[in-house]
Amino acid sequence: MFQVLRLSAATQELPKSIICNVHGVNPKFLKVGEKIAAEKEQGNQAFSKGAYFLGKMVWAKGYRELIDLFAKHKNDLEGFKLDIYGSGEDSQEVQYAARKLDLNLNFFKGRDHADDSLHGYKVFVNPSVSDVLCTATAEALAMGKFVICADHPSNEFFRAFPNCLTYKTSEDFVARVKEAMNNEPQPLTSEQRYNLSWEAATQRFMQYSELDKVLNNEETLSCKASGPKVNKSISMPILSEAVDGGLAFAHYCFTGNEILRLSTGAIPGTRDYSKQHCMDLHLLPPQVQNPVYGW
């Protein structure tokens, strides 16, 4: 019997499906969080900047919601400025809308979330409701920041973290902004750091997919069929390495196939970096990262 694992309730409900976040963050984000926690313990100021938002600059990535929130509560958010890092095909339209409404939004070119220039921000604002599970939100939490996000099924996993402040209405959003700006984030516990790691994500995958039971059952049947117990030699593959390889291959297949990505809620045309995105992040151009071979 197989299980269909869904990253969040934001995906399509399928027969025999179960919701389980099997995605972790890069260890470098957890290291940033540990460094910030150490600075706090020493009595140093861990955060020197206010709030920011980071994401590909297309309307579907939360920019419409962001503009609407700031426009509706322009007076309530007076004095609150948000720095936005992103590049994309809707950049000109988004920035024009912000200027036309005279909103306190500062725009910068997109950059890697682990960039040193972003470590000093205390609050990560993410109004997007189009993600299945936002990686940037998990990364911000791992770095010990406040995260302000919508009360949405895609953010269900993050609600367990005290630094995650969710809102249901635009009035709630204003309240959450003021709460975050007037307080300090709580340092992550060892358990919370572990829950954001790839190690924990793999463990959840093994548990909810019941892959460990399948592998153990096959090993038991193999031993019974072969008669006397045979000790494993050094040359035999390690189970954890085999599982890691299988997970990596499955991730490659799912994220590399556009049809499978769309069926799980991905936004069309977001699989590969665009030329502008590559320039902003100093990456190799798309034709080098994804070459098209022909005769």
Side-chain angles (χ1 to χ4, degrees):
M1 179 179 176
F2 67 90
Q3 291 274 17
V4 176
L5 297 183
R6 299 159 57 201
L7 283 177
S8 74
T11 56
Q12 180 182 358
E13 187 172 354
L14 299 170
K16 299 180 181 179
S17 65
I18 187 171
I19 298 172
C20 177
N21 175 19
V22 292
H23 200 288
V25 302
N26 191 304
K28 60 187 177 183
F29 294 104
L30 294 169
K31 290 181 180 179
V32 173
E34 292 174 359
K35 180 180 177 181
I36 290 176
E39 291 179 353
K40 285 185 177 181
E41 290 182 0
Q42 296 173 2
N44 299 326
Q45 183 181 4
F47 300 106
S48 58
K49 301 178 181 180
Y52 74 108
F53 173 49
L54 177 143
K56 184 176 182 180
M57 201 168 293
V58 293
W59 286 115
K61 279 293 186 179
Y63 286 93
R64 173 59 64 192
E65 291 81 358
L66 188 66
I67 295 290
D68 291 343
L69 285 168
F70 270 74
K72 183 177 181 179
H73 295 281
K74 187 175 180 180
N75 294 331
D76 297 324
L77 295 172
E78 186 177 1
F80 174 69
K81 296 183 179 181
L82 184 70
D83 292 341
I84 298 177
Y85 295 87
S87 303
E89 49 266 36
D90 294 333
S91 295
Q92 292 184 355
E93 292 184 14
V94 172
Q95 295 183 45
Y96 173 77
R99 288 194 302 269
K100 183 179 179 180
L101 296 170
D102 192 26
L103 304 179
N104 283 331
L105 302 177
N106 303 317
F107 292 91
F108 303 91
K109 289 186 177 181
R111 63 190 63 181
D112 190 278
H113 204 178
D115 193 273
D116 292 344
S117 63
L118 301 179
H119 294 179
Y121 284 99
K122 183 174 69 170
V123 183
F124 176 67
V125 178
N126 183 14
S128 176
V129 291
S130 64
D131 296 301
V132 173
L133 188 86
C134 184
T135 305
T137 296
E139 294 168 350
L141 288 172
M143 290 189 285
K145 305 177 186 296
F146 274 129
V147 169
I148 300 176
C149 58
D151 186 359
H152 186 263
S154 61
N155 296 320
E156 180 66 32
F157 176 80
F158 305 123
R159 292 176 188 166
F161 296 85
N163 292 334
C164 180
L165 309 177
T166 60
Y167 62 90
K168 292 184 178 180
T169 65
S170 60
E171 289 75 17
D172 288 342
F173 174 78
V174 175
R176 290 306 196 182
V177 166
K178 294 181 179 179
E179 178 183 352
M181 296 304 294
N182 294 327
N183 294 279
E184 288 295 319
Q186 298 181 26
L188 292 178
T189 65
S190 57
E191 180 181 359
Q192 290 166 351
R193 285 196 298 269
Y194 174 76
N195 288 337
L196 290 169
S197 69
W198 270 110
E199 182 181 359
T202 304
Q203 183 61 38
R204 290 192 294 268
F205 175 81
M206 295 288 290
Q207 177 184 350
Y208 284 91
S209 67
E210 299 184 347
L211 183 60
D212 53 344
K213 294 182 181 180
V214 174
L215 294 174
N216 291 334
N217 185 48
E218 289 181 353
E219 183 177 349
T220 302
L221 293 176
S222 177
C223 290
K224 289 181 179 180
S226 60
K229 183 178 179 180
V230 179
N231 293 328
K232 293 183 179 180
S233 66
I234 298 178
S235 62
M236 294 182 68
I238 300 174
L239 177 60
S240 61
E241 293 182 354
V243 172
D244 287 343
L247 289 173
F249 180 73
H251 183 270
Y252 172 79
C253 292
F254 276 95
T255 58
N257 187 289
E258 185 68 8
I259 297 178
L260 292 176
R261 291 179 72 255
L262 294 177
S263 67
T264 56
I267 299 175
T270 59
R271 185 187 67 177
D272 301 320
Y273 289 117
S274 65
K275 183 178 179 180
Q276 182 62 45
H277 205 171
C278 290
M279 292 174 61
D280 294 337
L281 297 179
H282 305 292
L283 301 174
L284 294 174
Q287 62 268 28
V288 176
Q289 294 189 60
N290 302 282
V292 178
Y293 299 100
W295 300 97

